[in-house]
Amino acid sequence: MGYGRDTKIRTGRHCAFVMHVHLVFVTKFRHQVFTDAHLVRMEEIMRSVCADFESELVEFNGADNHVHLLVNFPPKVAVTKLVNSLKGVSSRRLRQEFPDLVRHYWRANKLWSGSYFAGTVGGAPLSIVKQYIEQQNRPV
């Protein structure tokens, strides 16, 4: 199996790896709440969370009610723990920093739906997945 030039093989203490997951998070009740300003800040928050997990947010984009992430992660990271942290930290920080989001979620006190999509990226070249995420209809 070959890897393109845009894919660097990472090394850990006992392994070499190339692992990517495509994540999609949807807002609770599919409320259409995100603006570009929300998404800009969300990307910063999620990039920081990924770094805490020794992972890299390779690509990020979203629409008014969902976001797509492409994350390069090491084998020691459980995807469920990464997802829980990404969703929890972003929900808490965004609701603190953007009071306009709070009015949509004052009862649920959560930004995200409890569900999410996670797909390993292996069959499609990374450049195709990155292009797909880049082409999402981002709100103004």
Side-chain angles (χ1 to χ4, degrees):
M1 177 176 186
Y3 295 100
R5 287 179 298 184
D6 63 339
T7 305
K8 61 179 184 251
I9 296 176
R10 295 174 59 190
T11 55
R13 194 163 164 213
H14 299 289
C15 66
F17 57 92
V18 178
M19 296 174 55
H20 292 84
V21 63
H22 175 197
L23 301 171
V24 181
F25 305 151
V26 178
T27 57
K28 192 138 183 97
F29 312 122
R30 290 196 178 263
H31 283 167
Q32 299 175 335
V33 296
F34 297 142
T35 64
D36 187 62
H38 296 127
L39 295 174
V40 166
R41 181 63 181 127
M42 190 182 315
E43 181 175 1
E44 293 169 356
I45 292 166
M46 291 186 167
R47 193 168 296 285
S48 173
V49 171
C50 285
D52 290 344
F53 280 82
E54 298 176 37
S55 300
E56 178 190 2
L57 182 57
V58 177
E59 197 67 46
F60 174 91
N61 208 346
D64 56 10
N65 68 352
H66 70 280
V67 295
H68 290 264
L69 297 83
L70 180 63
V71 180
N72 180 343
F73 66 102
K76 67 182 177 182
V77 169
V79 173
T80 54
K81 289 186 177 181
L82 175 62
V83 165
N84 288 341
S85 190
L86 286 165
K87 289 170 71 176
V89 173
S90 63
S91 177
R92 187 171 55 254
R93 301 269 292 281
L94 286 169
R95 285 182 293 112
Q96 287 171 349
E97 297 177 23
F98 294 95
D100 57 307
L101 291 176
V102 176
R103 67 185 170 92
H104 291 283
Y105 300 104
W106 63 272
R107 285 169 71 186
N109 211 26
K110 290 180 181 172
L111 181 63
W112 302 111
S113 160
S115 303
Y116 64 92
F117 168 81
T120 55
V121 180
L126 279 178
S127 58
I128 300 298
V129 177
K130 286 170 68 172
Q131 181 180 20
Y132 169 76
I133 292 174
E134 287 168 2
Q135 291 173 349
Q136 292 298 301
N137 291 325
R138 189 176 184 121
V140 177

